[in-house]
Each structure stands twice: as structure tokens, then as C-alpha cells.
Amino acid sequence: MGIKFGREYPDIINDFTEALYSMDECYSFLEMTSEEWNELEPEEQQECIKTLADDIFYGLGSDPKMIVGKCTISHDKDKHVIVIYHGEKLISVIYLV
């Protein structure tokens, strides 16, 4: 099915990457320990999270709601956004148009 978007794809992924990267223990999404994560250079960490953002984006095209770690990531097709919640707290909105 896929996600419809009007913004440039790289811009969406950059925003999504920034949102994921800012989350506590974002490395747990990649099934890494804090020690493994901290051994990576900052550029390597950024690339890992960017790949995760890309994978989740495409996954949301099939399943509009995903649980990643302690967060819920949802695609709201009516509002053209991806939202990230940590529990009940909204922590990020990624605009698709």
C-alpha cells in the first residue's frame, strides 16, 4: 500500500532520524547494548538510526502502527503525519506534506 507523502523523501527521513535519535536508548531499537552503541562513532550511530527510520517508514506502509522499544510509532493518513509516542506522551510529529 505505501505511505503517500508530498515532501522530499530525504527531508522526511532526516526528520524521522532526528526524532528517533533523540529518544532515550534509541540503540535498543537496533537490539544493541549501550556499550555496543557507545563503541560506534557518531557518524555510524547516525547512519544506523537513519536506516532504522527508512525501515520503519516502509513498514508503516503495511502496518500503520508499530511498537518499537517503549514507543508507539503511527502513521495518520488523514493528517499526513507520523507520530511517535512514549507511553501516553507525544514526543515527535513528522510531517509528510
Side-chain angles (χ1 to χ4, degrees), residues 48-60:
C48 287
I49 297 299
K50 187 173 186 175
T51 299
L52 178 65
D54 190 58
D55 291 347
I56 293 172
F57 183 87
Y58 281 102
L60 289 170

Side-chain angles (χ1 to χ4, degrees), residues 1-96:
M1 181 177 196
I3 293 180
K4 294 181 182 179
F5 56 93
R7 290 179 61 205
E8 293 291 325
Y9 183 74
D11 294 339
I12 293 168
I13 292 301
N14 285 339
D15 289 350
F16 202 4
T17 299
E18 187 176 314
L20 293 174
Y21 194 72
S22 69
M23 297 168 61
D24 291 338
E25 300 180 2
C26 62
Y27 53 84
S28 67
F29 302 156
L30 303 166
E31 298 182 359
M32 296 178 78
T33 65
S34 61
E35 293 80 21
E36 292 169 326
W37 182 251
N38 290 327
E39 288 177 6
L40 298 176
E41 296 294 326
E43 297 82 19
E44 294 172 310
Q45 292 176 351
Q46 190 76 14
E47 282 303 311
C48 287
I49 297 299
K50 187 173 186 175
T51 299
L52 178 65
D54 190 58
D55 291 347
I56 293 172
F57 183 87
Y58 281 102
L60 289 170
S62 299
D63 184 358
K65 186 175 187 179
M66 300 176 78
I67 306 297
V68 181
K70 297 178 182 177
C71 295
T72 303
I73 303 173
S74 303
H75 170 233
D76 185 331
K77 67 179 181 176
D78 296 328
K79 294 181 181 173
H80 306 289
V81 295
I82 295 172
V83 293
I84 303 174
Y85 283 90
H86 187 273
E88 297 294 319
K89 181 181 177 188
L90 175 65
I91 60 171
S92 191
V93 177
I94 296 93
Y95 295 93
L96 303 174

